[in-house]
Amino acid sequence: MKKKPSLLERTRAYGFLLPCILIFAIFLFYPFFKTIFLSLYKTNKMGQAKLFVGIGNYMDLLTSSSFYNSLKVTLIFVVIVVVGSMAIGLLGAVLCNKAFPGIRAFSTAYALPMAIASSSAAMIFKIILHPSVGILNKLTGLNINWVSDPKYALVCVAILTAWLNSGINFLYFSAGLGNIDESIYERASVDGASPIQQFFHLTLPGLSPIMFYTLVVNIIQAFQSFGQVKILTQGGPGESTNLIVYSIYRDAFFNYRFGSAAAQSVILFVIVMILTLVMFKIEKKGVKY
Amino acid sequence: MSTLTLRNICKRYQNDNYAVKDFNLEISDQEFIIFVGPSGCGKSTTLRMIAGLEEISGGELWIDGELSNYLEPKERNLSMVFQNYALYPNMTVYDNMAFALKVRKMPKKQIDEKVQEAARILEIEHLLERYPKALSGGQKQRVAIGSAIVRNPKLFLMDEPLSNLDAKLRAQMRVELSKLHKELGTTMIYVTHDQTEAMTLGTRIVVMKAGEVSQVDSPQVLYQHPVNKFVAGFIGSPSMNFLDVSLYRGYDVENQKTYLTIEDHPVYLLEKTARLLKEKGYHRSKVTFGIRPEDIYTEEGKEANPKLEYSEAMQVTIIARELLGAEVMLYFDLEGIQFCARVEPENQTRAGEKLKVYFDLNRIHLFDMETEQTLNL
């Protein structure tokens, strides 16, 4: 029989939890519920709730073409970023999984984007992509105004973000590769599998548990990209890079429509939540061991 | 039909460190070759060079008359069983066994036949749908062997395949491997540090020490006529007793025999042994004397085997006695060195008691103290 803990014991347990609960409450729970609360109101310029409109803010959003554009742009952006950053991270990790002279330098280089702030990376890219003095145009001989052309702006921001996110993926994948038993590759090469067959039959399945985790983290991270958009394109040209997070920022701090911004935040939350839940459902079938 | 020739095979690392040096061996069809030796003697390295997993630094490797030094592992058409089984964790047992065939683009139906056949031989048909993590050590071992035999390779390479199993299972798998070899008739090369496996499985044993081959012979020859002190000590359990002794030659005409002394007792050598020593120029010199535990006899043992030629009786004090069921091990000191004798189980001598022992003179081994080569061979 399990004895019920005494009152003192319980108080003590909550005492230990208190600092954590406090920090979570201030920086997570309060803003979260406040956001839901605000999304039901029209606000004044100070962000104070003034007029209860119920689901009015949501109705406005769902009829706004600008919001649908935001969603579409964000979706494209997330796909490019997630695929790109995972591909770069995986490629780097596979390349660096062999011992050769200078391996540390290469590993550091691949992991480096993790340590770069998104805004400073954006500044660097701004110079690289500059139409007249940027090194990209100089090297390729093209004459494209990368970030000011609606055709290229989103792709540019997405690739920058993919590269930025690839650092942590590189680390995850390197750790994952380190967990794969070296001798199965030896057996595979005696069995007659080519390096490509080994990659698809052994390496990828071997990475599948960590791959899933990386995918979830990457999607969430991609949805929340902000700094690079702010520096590089400010959502433009037109609304071609107006990602949801940037749109929230613009609504709240430029247009002072906190209610609408809050409603968008809630929708973003719901989307990410659903995606994550769906992926966890799929994981149970997809990851075999 | 598959033959293998290794000619002066070397594995050299930086600063002329040799892991394997001048390995020479001819392996004919259907042989069961064992590489045996202590850890780090280069036996696994040699096997991996044959498999193509390690680069060969020098010498020639001929498989079926084809120079194979630079062939990729998959072009050599061998299969290998690894010490840790190396099963693919993401595939079922069936897929594990089918993998080598799948990558060779064999038709599905044929693959299925071969896998079922191998599973039947190894009695793992009920495990085909399982993943490796749901298998016991012995089952993993069978799957690993199954994956190797589905391909009908020219040659099987096995790298200490039984060393991760417990003693009972190891004994069982040893018998099955031997059976499997008879059934398949494929040439096998088997690496082990376990001399029981070596003795029971091999048609020929390659004893290696520090990267060099000490002796290649059948188990029986290896056991009875080891070429040097290392082989003599490595093969056999408990191992041979060694003692550094002086050789003498009697002066009076009547007793002009060569003898050695152990604790001031003379042990007169047989005429043929003495002649061999004389031919090689060993008289009045120090040599290493060696005798196996089962070649030391008690009074009763001597009477039971009257045809053998024995040394004079030697009085020893037993310091320990081990009863192993079918036999008894008696331990005693000679000149401060511990000797072990394997005697009949009826022997009741206890520790502290005195006992007369006799050496079988035909089974005495004498080694040069410097080169450790056998002198009476």
Side-chain angles (χ1 to χ4, degrees):
Chain A
M1 246 329 245
K2 226 168 127 184
K3 233 175 63 187
K4 240 188 156 184
S6 70
L7 186 69
L8 180 77
E9 268 180 65
R10 267 182 292 167
T11 325
R12 219 169 52 157
Y14 283 113
F16 283 122
L17 284 175
L18 194 65
C20 189
I21 291 177
L22 219 64
I23 289 172
F24 267 53
I26 296 173
F27 295 104
L28 226 78
F29 302 141
Y30 172 70
F32 180 70
F33 290 112
K34 181 76 179 184
T35 304
I36 295 177
F37 172 74
L38 275 181
S39 73
L40 304 174
Y41 283 85
K42 293 272 187 225
T43 62
N44 67 5
K45 283 195 174 183
M46 303 303 291
Q48 286 151 331
K50 285 291 166 193
L51 178 67
F52 181 79
V53 290
I55 56 164
N57 284 327
Y58 295 97
M59 296 306 290
D60 286 349
L61 280 178
L62 294 179
T63 51
S64 135
S65 64
S66 164
F67 179 68
Y68 282 113
N69 175 63
S70 246
L71 278 183
K72 192 187 90 187
V73 169
T74 306
L75 207 68
I76 299 172
F77 176 82
V78 166
V79 169
I80 300 177
V81 169
V82 170
V83 171
S85 68
M86 296 209 18
I88 298 172
L90 182 60
L91 187 71
V94 170
L95 289 178
C96 287
N97 198 31
K98 291 267 181 317
F100 57 88
I103 176 77
R104 291 202 167 262
F106 284 103
S107 295
T108 313
Y110 280 116
L112 196 64
M114 197 174 47
I116 302 175
S118 58
S119 44
S120 47
M123 300 289 262
I124 297 165
F125 265 66
K126 202 166 185 173
I127 300 166
I128 293 174
L129 299 172
H130 193 280
S132 52
V133 300
I135 193 166
L136 185 61
N137 274 352
K138 292 274 185 229
L139 281 181
T140 54
L142 296 169
N143 186 17
I144 297 173
N145 199 344
W146 294 99
V147 290
S148 308
D149 188 324
K151 268 194 297 202
Y152 301 111
L154 182 65
V155 176
C156 284
V157 181
I159 288 175
L160 163 62
T161 312
W163 174 68
L164 274 175
N165 294 358
S166 70
I168 192 82
N169 293 349
F170 168 78
L171 279 196
Y172 288 145
F173 288 140
S174 293
L177 288 176
N179 277 336
I180 301 178
D181 180 8
E182 198 59 41
S183 64
I184 65 172
Y185 291 103
E186 293 189 336
R187 184 185 144 199
S189 62
V190 175
D191 274 352
S194 67
I196 293 170
Q197 284 169 322
Q198 289 178 25
F199 178 79
F200 283 105
H201 284 108
L202 303 180
T203 308
L204 274 189
L207 283 176
S208 65
I210 203 145
M211 185 84 81
F212 169 76
Y213 171 75
T214 319
L215 185 69
V216 174
V217 171
N218 267 277
I219 290 178
I220 295 173
Q221 208 179 5
F223 266 108
Q224 296 178 343
S225 310
F226 172 73
Q228 49 276 47
V229 183
K230 171 87 172 76
I231 303 273
L232 221 49
T233 61
Q234 286 92 38
E239 293 213 326
S240 59
T241 58
N242 194 17
L243 304 182
I244 280 202
V245 175
Y246 192 76
S247 157
I248 293 169
Y249 162 80
R250 210 151 59 168
D251 256 4
F253 302 109
F254 277 99
N255 306 333
Y256 301 110
R257 290 165 51 203
F258 291 96
S260 162
Q264 291 181 55
S265 302
V266 173
I267 292 177
L268 176 62
F269 165 76
V270 170
I271 293 174
V272 173
M273 192 73 195
I274 290 175
L275 268 178
T276 311
L277 288 180
V278 165
M279 282 193 298
F280 270 98
K281 260 272 178 302
I282 297 174
E283 185 224 3
K284 299 228 165 67
K285 292 180 203 154
V287 179
K288 281 194 192 142
Y289 70 100
Chain B
M1 223 2 232
S2 58
T3 59
L4 193 73
T5 306
L6 295 99
R7 206 165 288 159
N8 295 55
I9 293 281
C10 292
K11 180 70 191 178
R12 188 172 48 235
Y13 295 109
Q14 296 100 323
N15 357 332
D16 276 357
N17 273 333
Y18 281 90
V20 177
K21 200 172 181 184
D22 285 336
F23 193 107
N24 284 297
L25 187 64
E26 292 265 353
I27 300 173
S28 42
D29 196 33
Q30 305 206 352
E31 274 200 278
F32 200 138
I33 296 285
I34 311 276
F35 292 174
V36 71
S39 312
C41 70
K43 54 194 191 299
S44 280
T45 310
T46 310
L47 191 78
R48 291 166 59 83
M49 284 194 285
I50 296 171
L53 297 171
E54 297 265 358
E55 204 180 314
I56 298 172
S57 328
E60 295 167 3
L61 171 70
W62 297 79
I63 300 173
D64 277 349
E66 185 188 1
L67 183 64
S68 305
N69 282 33
Y70 302 106
L71 288 186
E72 287 290 316
K74 64 170 175 178
E75 295 165 331
R76 301 188 187 194
N77 195 17
L78 325 163
S79 358
M80 183 154 169
V81 178
F82 292 82
Q83 181 175 358
N84 61 353
Y85 320 131
L87 299 182
Y88 307 129
N90 54 314
M91 299 180 198
T92 59
V93 168
Y94 183 95
D95 290 330
N96 257 287
M97 290 170 62
F99 184 74
L101 305 176
K102 264 184 200 159
V103 298
R104 277 155 212 266
K105 307 256 165 8
M106 189 182 271
K108 271 222 168 66
K109 200 165 160 251
Q110 218 172 328
I111 292 180
D112 192 60
E113 276 167 24
K114 294 211 170 223
V115 172
Q116 298 293 353
E117 167 77 10
R120 194 186 51 72
I121 294 175
L122 292 160
E123 295 165 18
I124 48 173
E125 288 148 303
H126 59 295
L127 302 174
L128 288 176
E129 296 309 314
R130 290 211 201 157
Y131 283 95
K133 71 170 180 196
L135 299 179
S136 70
Q139 292 170 332
K140 282 184 189 166
Q141 184 56 62
R142 283 161 196 270
V143 176
I145 293 171
S147 311
I149 64 176
V150 287
R151 273 175 42 207
N152 305 338
K154 287 184 197 167
L155 190 65
F156 271 119
L157 307 177
M158 300 201 179
D159 190 0
E160 309 208 14
L162 305 186
S163 60
N164 286 359
L165 302 179
D166 63 59
K168 199 174 169 191
L169 206 51
R170 203 180 308 161
Q172 186 190 339
M173 285 306 289
R174 212 163 55 211
V175 177
E176 295 203 13
L177 274 179
S178 177
K179 215 168 72 188
L180 195 68
H181 175 242
K182 282 198 193 78
E183 248 175 78
L184 299 173
T186 314
T187 314
M188 290 196 185
I189 303 180
Y190 185 104
V191 164
T192 181
H193 59 258
D194 181 320
Q195 47 114 354
T196 320
E197 280 172 32
M199 294 293 286
T200 50
L201 287 174
T203 54
R204 272 200 301 163
I205 300 178
V206 180
V207 184
M208 293 182 72
K209 183 197 179 188
E212 293 184 59
V213 176
S214 286
Q215 188 171 2
V216 183
D217 257 315
S218 70
Q220 196 170 9
V221 175
L222 210 59
Y223 190 75
Q224 292 181 349
H225 306 290
V227 295
N228 58 35
K229 189 181 164 192
F230 171 75
V231 177
F234 192 80
I235 301 291
S237 169
S239 67
M240 190 184 279
N241 303 297
F242 294 110
L243 185 64
D244 290 345
V245 297
S246 295
L247 273 183
Y248 298 100
R249 200 171 158 82
Y251 285 109
D252 53 291
V253 182
E254 192 183 341
N255 199 5
Q256 210 182 30
K257 276 184 168 175
T258 303
Y259 65 94
L260 47 87
T261 56
I262 297 174
E263 292 198 331
D264 296 330
H265 291 289
V267 174
Y268 293 100
L269 300 180
L270 293 178
E271 195 55 43
K272 56 177 183 185
T273 317
R275 200 177 324 116
L276 273 169
L277 287 175
K278 196 177 167 193
E279 279 167 15
K280 290 184 181 170
Y282 290 85
H283 39 93
R284 293 213 187 178
S285 42
K286 293 214 79 163
V287 295
T288 304
F289 161 84
I291 188 147
R292 294 199 185 275
E294 65 268 32
D295 297 328
I296 303 177
Y297 289 84
T298 61
E299 197 71 51
E300 295 82 30
K302 188 182 162 200
E303 277 161 22
N305 299 285
K307 281 187 184 158
L308 299 180
E309 296 169 279
Y310 296 99
S311 66
E312 307 288 316
M314 194 171 295
Q315 184 97 349
V316 296
T317 309
I318 304 303
I319 55 176
R321 165 196 161 95
E322 284 178 352
L323 174 66
L324 299 181
E327 59 207 13
V328 167
M329 299 292 170
L330 294 177
Y331 294 89
F332 53 90
D333 276 354
L334 284 176
E335 296 188 9
I337 306 284
Q338 182 177 293
F339 267 58
C340 172
R342 175 184 291 169
V343 299
E344 57 285 355
E346 296 80 29
N347 190 299
Q348 294 299 331
T349 319
R350 309 256 142 221
E353 291 177 3
K354 290 204 183 308
L355 183 74
K356 275 185 185 159
V357 295
Y358 304 85
F359 300 138
D360 178 350
L361 291 174
N362 275 301
R363 293 294 179 85
I364 281 177
H365 302 266
L366 295 168
F367 308 95
D368 184 293
M369 285 183 59
E370 297 271 308
T371 63
E372 302 195 339
Q373 295 299 310
T374 305
L375 300 175
N376 54 337
L377 196 68

